[in-house]
Amino acid sequence: MPSVLQRHPRYALLSAFLLLATFLLLASHQTPMTYIYSAEGADWVKDRVAISERIYQKTLMEREGLIRKFGPTPDKITSFPPDEEPWPPYTLWDFFPAAFNCPHEIERIGALGDGGKWVCGMSRVVTKPDCIIYSVGINHESSFEAELLSRTDNCQVWGYDFSVHEFGPEVQDSPALLRRAHFKPYGLAGTNAHGPEDTNKMYTLQSLMALNGHSHIDILKVDIESWEFETLTTLLRSYMVEDQPLPFGQLQLEIHVWDKKFPEMLKWWETLEDAGLRPFWTEPNLVYANYNRGGSPELAEYSFLNIRGNNIFISNEEFERARKVRHGPRE
């Protein structure tokens, strides 16, 4: 028995047209995204970073849409809308998601509570012979630095904090760890400055690195109570003007947005992005939120990967160079 399409050829043409139109309509609403990794032996890490960057750029477009929705311009957005009608269902942190994918394992280093940080690719650090860690902001808690030291035999940690005189007890009470830990009561700032009688010494990151004879830092942890805005702006722009990659592989940063307006935060955050920093992890500071009941969640921890340059977290080439220095070439 002939089918309907055989008896009515026009139905077949109409069906084919509808199928084609549906396909084209669906295709026009999808963002092309290729997930293809290199063959064995190639730099698969760079492939993963490239895919993550395409995903991140999509997130930036979504951020622009969110600003238009609740703004429609940045100056019209309240960082933490008051609990009153009409109530926009967002907070400042919704505009800055940690949308970048670390190409390696992610794990928390240090305490599960305040003091611990999320790190991308700890396995890359363990095998690096000249591993350099900078930690700015100690405040009597060094579980992060202690775990980095205890899990490696090659990392050196430089700690800075003008408000204390030594590392926290996690490092200070361990002679084995102290052999690879170096503390100075200095602060990190946008310019070098010394107080009366040479107290409250403040240094730029470039100056601290020069004092130590370092050209690169693998992990940089910064917790400087809202001075990150001024300090990082000056630091990043000094490298961006020269079109040079930042001198560190990743950044663990606590952001304090006390009294910051949304346009100011947005401009500063875009400077981080322009310099090559991509957030791969975030969490609110719940200790601060719990102790300030009824207040805004103004503190958040972020971890960033630097996708510019040739550091061990984004390049197998640099990782293999470091491995050969430590173990020698493979047979």
Side-chain angles (χ1 to χ4, degrees), residues 108-139:
R108 190 174 184 84
I109 306 299
L112 288 178
D114 195 38
K117 309 293 179 183
W118 291 94
V119 171
C120 164
M122 183 67 183
S123 58
R124 313 284 276 196
V125 175
V126 169
T127 58
K128 191 171 187 288
D130 53 350
C131 165
I132 301 296
I133 314 293
Y134 275 35
S135 179
V136 184
I138 303 299
N139 194 26

Side-chain angles (χ1 to χ4, degrees), residues 31-48:
T31 301
M33 190 67 66
T34 304
Y35 300 92
I36 300 176
Y37 300 104
S38 294
E40 184 179 358
D43 201 337
W44 57 268
V45 176
K46 287 188 175 180
D47 282 345
R48 290 179 180 269

Side-chain angles (χ1 to χ4, degrees), residues 155 216 285 320:
C155 284
H216 184 76
N285 186 321
E320 282 297 311

Side-chain angles (χ1 to χ4, degrees), residues 155-184:
C155 284
Q156 302 274 337
V157 174
W158 273 259
Y160 299 100
D161 191 330
F162 64 79
S163 69
V164 297
H165 301 288
E166 60 186 16
F167 283 104
E170 298 87 351
V171 171
Q172 201 63 35
D173 295 345
S174 173
L177 299 185
L178 272 178
R179 285 195 288 269
R180 289 182 286 120
H182 319 274
F183 180 86
K184 291 291 184 182

Side-chain angles (χ1 to χ4, degrees), residues 60 73 89 101 113 134-135 138 158 163 179 222 230 236 241 276 283:
L60 296 188
T73 57
N101 294 299
Y134 275 35
S135 179
I138 303 299
W158 273 259
S163 69
R179 285 195 288 269
V222 175
E230 174 188 336
L236 301 185
V241 167
E283 64 182 18

